[in-house]
Amino acid sequence: MTTEPTARSLPREPLGDPHLRRLVVGQGLAAVVDALFIVWLTLFVLELSEPGVATGLVLVAVALPRAALLLPAGVLVDRLGPARVMAGASWLRVAVLLALGALVTFTSPSVTTVALSGGLLGAGDAAYFPGALALLPAIVPTEKLSRVNALVQGAESGGDLVGPAVAAGAIAAVGFDATLGGITALAALAAVALSTLIRVVRRGEGARDDAGPDAIGGEQLSSARALAAGLRYAWHEPLVRGMLAAIALINLAVVGPVLVGGAVLADQRLGGAGSLGVVLSGFGVGSLAGSLMAGWRPPARRGWTVAGGVAAIGAGMAGLAAVTHVVTATAVVSLIGIGSAFLGVVVVATLQERVPEQLLGRVMSLVVLATVAMDPFSYVVAGVLLPFGTTTLFLICGSAVLACAGLVAASPAIRSLR
């Protein structure tokens, strides 16, 4: 486990260590690959079939293995080490993309074949994400965790912001085959960069107990018991439990209402469905700004910062109930993006610092699960509340997040964070 933050001043340059540069470059490239590929996949499936069930089938095929395998993958990360698991998942991604590229170039793949390829990528993602989050404390000094997390999450936000336009433009210019080849090349570069970190992390593994990371009282736990041990830790540790609950509630109350409710809002009040793209770009810009802000000046009082970030998201959601112009809506959604990204950097860095090393993979798999598993339920929430109007939808969701901010502020474990 990493040591507590020291009082020494932070260096101006967070990436002076070449290992850190490779880490940020590798994870940044991987984030860009994800952003580009999801757009490529959606457009390619639309090319194969009419819009409708087929597109949904492929996207579900990616999402289901990712969600279902996250918790077992967390156990794998703690047993094999985050660097090995993340590098293995990165090379699996390259292999699947190469195979898919061969199918696209030399055959006419069916939607089912594309869906199976997407499922393999989703399974790889289930291992990659907790491995990537658990790896940072093994490479990054404690005082740099916020800055490096900010750079990685900033790369993700930047990829989400420019990915759709870049992927669509490349497909229009050079076609699906060449675009997928470029995505695969980026994935290979990411895998190479991340694979070099295995040796670096291995140097610090000799200090581990020979009984293994899952041993309790000298007894090696089975995979099921190891998973249960991670769940018990997350439930009984007030800080972890509170942060996971906040992440889950925010995703439940924000993702579906912003995407589904935002589309209705754009059509009814903002001048047409085309304005939705402008509004959502505001979220991307806000996310990028929030990530960089969190890394540039890490907060001194983290507990109140977490509560303030949750409150900013809630205020933004409630504010969407009153907007009538696309500029105002974009500004409000940008506030939500800033709060979400800032909060994400602070929460992840805090857990990386304080969760025991032998449990970090399992806890980080819960963090990712709290994010991705809430999406379907969030769409259900939006669907249930939309018949009552967008004003009701955004007021209820915003109020729920503001109530969450109050609970976070009332939690001694979170409020006392420094």
Side-chain angles (χ1 to χ4, degrees):
M1 182 179 175
T2 55
T3 57
E4 288 300 312
T6 62
R8 56 196 170 103
S9 60
L10 297 180
R12 291 180 177 271
E13 176 52 60
L15 298 181
D17 188 327
H19 303 318
L20 299 192
R21 289 198 294 270
R22 290 198 293 271
L23 174 68
V24 172
V25 168
Q27 292 196 8
L29 283 174
V32 172
V33 167
D34 285 341
L36 294 173
F37 179 74
I38 195 65
V39 177
W40 182 94
L41 183 65
T42 303
L43 294 178
F44 184 70
V45 174
L46 290 175
E47 181 80 6
L48 292 178
S49 63
E50 293 296 323
V53 176
T55 306
L57 170 67
V58 173
L59 295 179
V60 168
V62 176
L64 278 181
R66 179 188 295 166
L69 296 175
L70 269 170
L71 296 184
V75 176
L76 192 67
V77 168
D78 286 333
R79 285 195 164 162
L80 299 182
R84 294 185 183 94
V85 173
M86 185 181 65
S90 299
W91 285 114
L92 174 62
R93 177 187 291 150
V94 174
V96 174
L97 290 175
L98 283 172
L100 182 59
L103 289 171
V104 170
T105 302
F106 301 111
T107 68
S108 297
S110 65
V111 172
T112 302
T113 302
V114 175
L116 290 173
S117 300
L120 288 173
L121 288 172
D125 287 346
Y128 175 84
F129 289 125
L133 293 176
L135 176 63
L136 263 65
I139 301 290
V140 180
T142 301
E143 68 271 15
K144 292 183 180 180
L145 275 173
S146 291
R147 293 190 177 191
V148 176
N149 272 296
L151 289 172
V152 172
Q153 293 189 32
E156 293 177 1
S157 299
D160 291 338
L161 185 62
V162 305
V166 171
I171 290 169
V174 299
F176 285 102
D177 301 10
T179 301
L180 183 58
I183 295 172
T184 305
L186 291 177
L189 289 175
V192 169
L194 296 174
S195 296
T196 62
L197 300 174
I198 295 177
R199 183 179 301 175
V200 178
V201 176
R202 188 180 295 156
R203 294 173 188 163
E205 291 180 345
R208 287 186 177 180
D209 188 345
D210 292 338
D214 295 328
I216 294 180
E219 179 186 358
Q220 181 73 25
L221 300 184
S222 66
S223 295
R225 292 180 64 196
L227 177 57
L231 294 174
R232 283 196 302 272
Y233 170 83
W235 178 255
H236 291 297
E237 181 63 38
L239 174 64
V240 178
R241 184 178 66 239
M243 287 189 167
L244 288 174
I247 292 170
L249 190 146
I250 290 170
N251 281 278
L252 181 67
V254 172
V255 174
V258 166
L259 292 177
V260 180
V264 176
L265 181 70
D267 186 57
Q268 292 179 349
R269 299 190 204 170
L270 306 181
S275 60
L276 178 63
V278 177
V279 173
L280 293 181
S281 69
F283 182 86
V285 172
S287 296
L288 180 59
S291 297
L292 297 179
M293 287 167 56
W296 182 255
R297 188 175 293 276
R301 298 177 63 86
R302 293 196 207 187
W304 288 110
T305 300
V306 171
V310 177
I313 297 169
M317 289 297 295
L320 285 174
V323 298
T324 57
H325 193 276
V326 65
V327 174
T328 308
T330 303
V332 172
V333 170
S334 298
L335 173 65
I336 298 173
I338 290 172
S340 299
F342 197 98
L343 187 65
V345 171
V346 173
V347 167
V348 169
T350 299
L351 293 177
Q352 287 169 338
E353 291 175 11
R354 286 164 171 78
V355 173
E357 179 187 2
Q358 66 269 24
L359 290 165
L360 191 55
R362 279 163 280 184
V363 171
M364 288 302 155
S365 72
L366 287 170
V367 171
V368 181
L369 185 64
T371 303
V372 303
M374 290 297 108
D375 288 359
F377 301 102
S378 185
Y379 294 130
V380 171
V381 168
V384 169
L385 294 178
L386 262 178
F388 300 98
T390 53
T391 298
T392 300
L393 169 68
F394 290 122
L395 282 177
I396 290 178
C397 292
S399 298
V401 178
L402 287 171
C404 178
L407 293 175
V408 167
S411 168
I414 298 179
R415 189 178 62 245
S416 61
L417 276 175
R418 293 292 186 270

